[in-house]
Amino acid sequence: MRTKLVNAEGATDTTSDAALGTGLVVLFAVPGAFTPTCHVNHLPGFIANESKLRAKGVDRIVCASVNDHHVMKAWAEGSGALGKIDFMADGNAELAEALGLARDFSGSGMGKRFARAAMLIRDGIVDAVFIEDGPGVNASGAPAILMALEVAAS
């Protein structure tokens, strides 16, 4: 899938294969940049645990959302995550659809979005998927991903 990747070098056109296909990648998906739960509960956990995730062998942490790359860049900068976490702008929800994580948030005026989720991807192959089954951040938060990495290592 074609996408835009926002990182410390700026925003670049790329593919999901290029962004997620090498090494151990934690991909976490959120319904929307700057939305209350995403901004206050989901992203901050990954920022705070970035060094712990890297110590567990994670090569790249990527946050995906169905927003344009301008919004994702503003969110990365405003949250202090730029340079720690890469941001993937899936403006047309194509990656969300391909991963089976697209959800209809039309009732809230948001259209098609990612379900709140996280995955562990090793060399382009999804090892584990964690999808929230209700409101809040539990299964897809950084502490849960750290625990999954510990279990996988033992």
Side-chain angles (χ1 to χ4, degrees):
M1 307 267 108
R2 301 245 4 114
T3 187
K4 291 262 192 188
L5 190 68
V6 176
N7 57 27
E9 287 79 47
T12 56
D13 290 321
T14 189
T15 64
S16 54
D17 290 349
L20 306 172
T22 305
L24 177 57
V25 179
V26 172
L27 171 68
F28 68 103
V30 299
F34 293 109
T35 57
T37 303
C38 304
H39 187 66
V40 175
N41 301 107
H42 210 170
L43 176 60
F46 283 96
I47 296 168
N49 287 289
E50 182 238 353
S51 62
K52 290 179 184 176
L53 289 161
R54 302 246 186 237
K56 295 284 182 196
V58 172
D59 298 298
R60 176 180 252 171
I61 304 165
V62 180
C63 175
S65 185
V66 179
N67 291 104
D68 65 60
H69 67 283
H70 301 291
V71 170
M72 295 299 276
K73 182 175 186 273
W75 193 30
E77 291 172 344
S79 65
L82 195 62
K84 298 175 184 175
I85 296 171
D86 293 344
F87 289 75
M88 186 175 289
D90 184 30
N92 294 324
E94 292 171 0
L95 182 60
E97 287 280 355
L99 292 172
L101 294 174
R103 301 294 182 269
D104 185 0
F105 285 80
S106 296
S108 301
M110 294 172 60
K112 193 181 297 182
R113 298 287 174 137
F114 266 104
R116 186 174 310 285
M119 3 181 118
L120 295 173
I121 305 168
R122 291 180 199 275
D123 295 321
I125 299 170
V126 176
D127 272 1
V129 179
F130 309 89
I131 302 172
E132 297 294 345
D133 60 2
V137 178
N138 296 298
S140 66
I145 299 307
L146 280 166
M147 190 179 307
L149 288 167
E150 287 176 23
V151 169
S154 54

